[in-house]
Amino acid sequence: MDNKINFNTPTIQNNIDIKTYIFKIISYWKLFLATIIIALIVAKFMTGYKEKRYSLSTVISVKEENNPLFSTGTNIAFNWGGASDEIETIKVIIGSRSHNEKVVKKLNFFIDYLSEGRYRMEDVYGYAPFSVNLKTNKPQLYNKLLKIEITGENKFRLSFDFNELGSDQLITYDVNTIDEFISDKSNFSKEFKVDEVINTSYLNFSLEKNKKFNIGDVFYIKFASFDGTVGNYRGVTISTITDAASLLGLSMSGPNKKRIVNYLNATVQVLEEDKQEQKILYARKTKKYIDELFIKEKDSLNKIERELGVYKEVNNIYDLSTEGTQIFEELIDLEKEKKELLEYNDYLKNLRSYILTHNQYSEGIPVPALIKIQDAKIAEEISILIQKSSLRESLKRTVTEDYPHLKKLNSEITIAKNNLLENIANLKNINNAKISKLKKRLSISNSKLKKIPSREQGLLKYQRNFEISEANYNYLKQKSYEAGTAIAANVSDVKIIDEAKDLGEGPNYPKPQFNYLIGLMLGIVFPLFYIIIREILDNKIHTAEEIQNNYAIPVLGVVGRNQGKNNLAVFERPKSSVSESFRALRSNIQFLFKNAQTDESKTLILTSSVSGEGKTMVSINMATVFALSGKKTVLMGLDLRKPKIYDDFNLTNDIGVVNHLINQKTLDEIIIPTKIPNLDLILSGPIPPNPSELLLNETADKMIKSLKERYDYVIIDTPPVGLVSDALELFKYADAVIYVIRQNYSERGMMKMIDDKYKNKEVTNISYVLNDFSITNKYGYGYGYGYGYGYGYGYGYGKYGYGYHENEEPKSILSKISSFFKKK
């Protein structure tokens, strides 16, 4: 009984069959189509559902602009400033809360203009036919939707509901406070005219008409949180323009283009105004100080002029002598020079005191109003100190003390302060030396003065005071003019290059193409995951190739799906593809019978792993094909635990093998002829309590031996080997064994036990038959090619002539409709 067949000897493989998996994936094309359609529908919905967001930008120039009419040595240093880190300062300012508060307040962006959209309330700022003129110093209903319904050419109805569960809130924007308000009404509804002031304890505004009113249009307005609105608009993106260090690009995203345009342009405008105001603040303080001194000096000059006139009239002296004039001019020059040095030393003293007692220098450094700058380094170092202090104060509003750039600024400010203090000390020492020399020269001139007449000395004294006072008066007048000119001629360091403008750009979010692409990808990925998970969890046998690649026992053939009402497929439908597959098995099994003599009876045993794999159906039809070929055949039902054969022949299971094995009936009494020519049947009979013992007694041996003498083929239907050992005990009678596996039913591990016995040569002349096989693209094409599994069933080769086999496959509705029209 050695198995010497080699027509389908398998080679066990563990490699992945790529082609098989491709066919499996393709077989799920309906799933792919459905998921892709669903994903694209979802993508389309999400594209419409997601709020559209637009992005607009503006370009500004940040460059220090100094008035060319003034220089540090001749004016009062009004143009000190213009930070070297101006770009960084601008970036910090634009993101600061204080700056954005000014912009929001300027535009009244805390007022929401809304209309009902398909999925949400849409922002219609700039598109609504009206604007709200709000009295910010009076309370308004906070965070309440106010319905505006257009009722006429210049009329509208304002309506809303008060909070029934508690109090409403009122907000006053000028002081940014929120108060509680309890109304004795449940709702409010009243018609107003355009520009009519709505003046109540909870609403104070009017509507200004911007466009034509369409009667019936409904809008909503809401007075939102000031702080919340400011926080929402601090997201202006700042970028440096490539190859242009002084150019900045400001961009902003949002659902309303008009809001973006107005906010970007307003933020640049506010920035420009603030920078200009900051730049002339020093000049304003200087001019104010000079004007105060100018008024005092003017009063002093008038007083001295009157005293001089009285002295001349009383003493009858009006002019100085030549000697007196010479002394007078010399004294005036020395006094002016001494006064300048003393004033500058006083300034240096005040400047030093201020530097030592203050930590912020952006606004309050003393102004050298009455002196000319002696040393350019003083002006330069004051400028550096102001610049870096201003930048530090701006940074402090938005960053912590540990911010690296802030730490660096603190270090630079300390260095600049020390350098300035050192230069102040050096300059004071130089001035003190000059003053000492001037005092000596003044002492010599005063001694000369004593030699002239007393009346002339008195006149010279008055004239000297008058000249000094007049010089101071003219000097202050000149400086006041310079300060006023500097203020009037000042320009901002920030200039707009390309203002924000709506040019009809489409939204940058959501992106329909991207959404559809993602939808398409997900429509493909999800089914793939489903297929992969299903394959991982799937432990069923699907194809003959799986059996070949994983088990040593060869595959004898494949049996198609039986579409009949019972298991007599070969007899009742001889032209069916299932019948042809059994004829192919009949031919192939002759190779398993090589060891048996040609004229001897042959015994074929059929078994399986578990019940339900079609073992009985294969047994009946194998017996039928042998009988129809003219061979005397007997079919024995030795599955004593769960007999089934009797039902397909419309018999009862009252008498059978069990009755013979317990010596109740003779062998002839249990043999039943069938309607199939040359085929007899032996049923199992009543279910015994000890089936294994019955099959192992001597009566069973004699029965098999007697049947082999009477019949050409003995076909035995045995119990499943995966459940009981009865079938293994019967293998000793077999010339060949068929092990039935059912597609999509038998699990992969079920055949391991019988396969191991085959490898150990405990079982021979055994082959697998794949039952209930159905062709689908999940498992590729042409499985079983070369085995003769019933040509005509359609395994990828086409029908064996369209008239040879009956059409067993159930038609779809579309196929039936197509066939109907073809017949017509």
Side-chain angles (χ1 to χ4, degrees), residues 111-125:
I111 304 175
D112 292 337
Y113 297 82
L114 306 168
S115 68
E116 291 186 5
R118 184 175 182 181
Y119 302 110
R120 66 185 64 83
M121 298 297 285
E122 301 288 348
D123 182 6
V124 291
Y125 169 84

Side-chain angles (χ1 to χ4, degrees), residues 474-485:
N474 292 330
Y475 181 77
L476 290 173
K477 187 175 182 180
Q478 175 64 26
K479 291 304 178 183
S480 178
Y481 167 76
E482 289 181 4
T485 305

